[in-house]
Coordinates of all heavy atoms in Angstrom, one line a residue:
T18 N 8.6 14.6 -2.2 CA 7.6 13.9 -2.8 C 7.5 12.4 -2.6 O 6.5 11.9 -2.7 CB 7.6 14.1 -4.4 OG1 8.8 13.7 -5.0 CG2 7.4 15.6 -4.8
S19 N 8.7 11.9 -2.2 CA 8.8 10.4 -1.8 C 7.9 10.2 -0.7 O 7.2 9.2 -0.7 CB 10.3 10.1 -1.6 OG 11.0 10.2 -2.7
C20 N 8.0 11.1 0.3 CA 7.1 10.9 1.5 C 5.7 11.1 1.3 O 4.8 10.2 1.7 CB 7.5 11.9 2.7 SG 9.0 11.2 3.7
K21 N 5.4 12.1 0.4 CA 3.9 12.3 -0.1 C 3.4 11.0 -0.8 O 2.3 10.5 -0.5 CB 3.8 13.5 -0.9 CG 2.4 13.8 -1.4 CD 2.5 15.0 -2.4 CE 1.0 15.4 -2.9 NZ 0.5 14.4 -3.8
E22 N 4.1 10.6 -1.7 CA 3.7 9.4 -2.5 C 3.6 8.1 -1.6 O 2.7 7.4 -1.8 CB 4.5 9.2 -3.7 CG 4.4 10.3 -4.7 CD 5.5 10.2 -5.8 OE1 6.4 9.3 -5.8 OE2 5.5 11.1 -6.7
F23 N 4.5 8.0 -0.7 CA 4.4 6.8 0.2 C 3.2 6.9 1.1 O 2.5 5.9 1.1 CB 5.6 6.8 1.2 CG 5.5 5.8 2.2 CD1 5.8 4.4 2.0 CD2 4.9 6.1 3.5 CE1 5.6 3.5 3.0 CE2 4.8 5.2 4.5 CZ 5.1 3.9 4.2
T24 N 2.9 8.0 1.7 CA 1.7 8.1 2.5 C 0.4 8.0 1.6 O -0.5 7.3 2.1 CB 1.6 9.6 3.1 OG1 2.9 9.8 3.8 CG2 0.5 9.7 4.1
E25 N 0.3 8.4 0.4 CA -0.8 8.2 -0.4 C -1.0 6.7 -0.6 O -2.1 6.2 -0.6 CB -0.7 9.0 -1.7 CG -0.9 10.5 -1.5 CD -0.5 11.3 -2.7 OE1 0.1 10.8 -3.7 OE2 -0.8 12.5 -2.8
A26 N 0.1 6.0 -0.9 CA 0.0 4.6 -1.2 C -0.3 3.8 0.0 O -1.1 2.8 -0.1 CB 1.4 4.2 -1.9
A27 N 0.2 4.2 1.2 CA -0.1 3.5 2.5 C -1.6 3.7 2.8 O -2.2 2.7 3.2 CB 0.8 4.0 3.6
V28 N -2.2 4.9 2.5 CA -3.6 5.0 2.8 C -4.4 4.2 1.9 O -5.4 3.6 2.3 CB -4.0 6.6 2.8 CG1 -5.5 6.7 2.8 CG2 -3.3 7.3 3.9
A29 N -4.1 4.1 0.6 CA -4.8 3.4 -0.3 C -4.7 1.9 0.0 O -5.8 1.1 0.0 CB -4.2 3.5 -1.7
V30 N -3.6 1.4 0.4 CA -3.4 0.0 0.8 C -4.3 -0.3 2.1 O -5.0 -1.3 2.2 CB -2.1 -0.4 1.0 CG1 -1.9 -1.8 1.8 CG2 -1.4 -0.5 -0.4
A31 N -4.3 0.6 3.0 CA -5.1 0.5 4.2 C -6.5 0.4 4.0 O -7.2 -0.3 4.7 CB -4.7 1.5 5.3
D32 N -7.0 1.2 3.0 CA -8.4 1.2 2.7 C -8.9 0.1 1.8 O -10.1 -0.1 1.7 CB -8.7 2.6 2.0 CG -8.7 3.7 2.9 OD1 -8.8 3.6 4.2 OD2 -8.7 4.9 2.4
A33 N -8.0 -0.6 1.2 CA -8.3 -1.7 0.3 C -8.7 -3.0 1.0 O -8.2 -3.2 2.0 CB -7.1 -2.0 -0.6
P34 N -9.8 -3.7 0.5 CA -10.2 -5.0 1.1 C -8.9 -6.0 0.9 O -8.1 -5.9 0.1 CB -11.3 -5.5 0.2 CG -11.3 -4.7 -1.0 CD -10.5 -3.4 -0.8
F35 N -8.9 -6.9 1.9 CA -7.8 -7.8 1.9 C -7.7 -8.7 0.7 O -8.8 -9.2 0.3 CB -7.8 -8.7 3.2 CG -6.8 -9.7 3.3 CD1 -5.4 -9.4 3.6 CD2 -6.9 -11.0 2.8 CE1 -4.4 -10.3 3.6 CE2 -5.9 -11.9 2.8 CZ -4.7 -11.6 3.2
S36 N -6.4 -8.8 0.2 CA -6.2 -9.8 -0.8 C -4.7 -10.1 -0.8 O -4.0 -9.3 -0.1 CB -6.6 -9.3 -2.3 OG -5.7 -8.3 -2.6
F37 N -4.3 -11.1 -1.5 CA -2.9 -11.4 -1.5 C -2.0 -10.3 -2.1 O -0.9 -10.0 -1.8 CB -2.6 -12.8 -2.0 CG -3.0 -13.8 -1.2 CD1 -4.1 -14.7 -1.6 CD2 -2.5 -14.1 0.1 CE1 -4.6 -15.7 -0.8 CE2 -3.0 -15.1 0.9 CZ -4.0 -15.9 0.5
A38 N -2.6 -9.7 -3.2 CA -1.9 -8.6 -3.9 C -1.8 -7.4 -3.0 O -0.8 -6.7 -2.9 CB -2.7 -8.2 -5.1
V39 N -2.8 -7.1 -2.1 CA -2.7 -5.9 -1.2 C -1.7 -6.3 -0.1 O -1.0 -5.4 0.3 CB -4.1 -5.8 -0.6 CG1 -4.1 -4.8 0.6 CG2 -5.1 -5.2 -1.6
E40 N -1.6 -7.6 0.3 CA -0.7 -8.0 1.3 C 0.7 -7.8 0.9 O 1.6 -7.2 1.5 CB -1.0 -9.4 1.7 CG 0.0 -9.8 2.8 CD -0.3 -9.3 4.2 OE1 -1.3 -8.7 4.4 OE2 0.6 -9.3 5.0
R41 N 0.9 -8.2 -0.5 CA 2.3 -7.9 -1.1 C 2.6 -6.5 -1.1 O 3.8 -6.0 -0.9 CB 2.4 -8.6 -2.4 CG 2.5 -10.1 -2.5 CD 2.9 -10.6 -3.8 NE 1.9 -10.3 -4.8 CZ 0.7 -10.9 -5.0 NH1 0.5 -12.0 -4.3 NH2 -0.1 -10.6 -6.0
Q42 N 1.7 -5.7 -1.5 CA 1.9 -4.2 -1.6 C 2.2 -3.7 -0.2 O 3.0 -2.8 -0.1 CB 0.6 -3.5 -2.2 CG 0.7 -2.1 -2.3 CD 1.6 -1.7 -3.5 OE1 2.0 -2.4 -4.3 NE2 2.0 -0.3 -3.5
A43 N 1.5 -4.1 0.9 CA 1.8 -3.7 2.2 C 3.2 -4.0 2.6 O 3.9 -3.3 3.3 CB 0.8 -4.3 3.2
E44 N 3.6 -5.2 2.3 CA 5.1 -5.6 2.6 C 6.0 -4.7 1.8 O 7.1 -4.3 2.3 CB 5.3 -7.2 2.2 CG 4.5 -8.1 3.2 CD 4.6 -9.6 2.8 OE1 5.4 -9.8 1.8 OE2 3.9 -10.3 3.4
W45 N 5.7 -4.5 0.5 CA 6.7 -3.6 -0.2 C 6.7 -2.2 0.3 O 7.9 -1.7 0.5 CB 6.1 -3.6 -1.7 CG 6.9 -2.7 -2.6 CD1 8.1 -3.1 -3.2 CD2 6.7 -1.3 -2.9 NE1 8.6 -2.0 -3.9 CE2 7.8 -1.0 -3.8 CE3 5.7 -0.5 -2.7 CZ2 7.8 0.3 -4.3 CZ3 5.8 0.8 -3.2 CH2 6.8 1.2 -4.0

């Protein structure tokens, strides 16, 4: 489930418009 949740979060970040919060999430 760790891989599943990671992939879902990565897709959500990739689809989100750029912001500093999204950039921090991408780094995390």
Side-chain angles (χ1 to χ4, degrees):
T18 56
S19 297
C20 277
K21 178 183 181 288
E22 291 170 357
F23 169 85
T24 304
E25 290 170 349
V28 169
V30 166
D32 286 343
F35 176 80
S36 71
F37 291 111
V39 169
E40 183 68 19
R41 282 192 303 277
Q42 183 72 13
E44 290 175 9
W45 180 80

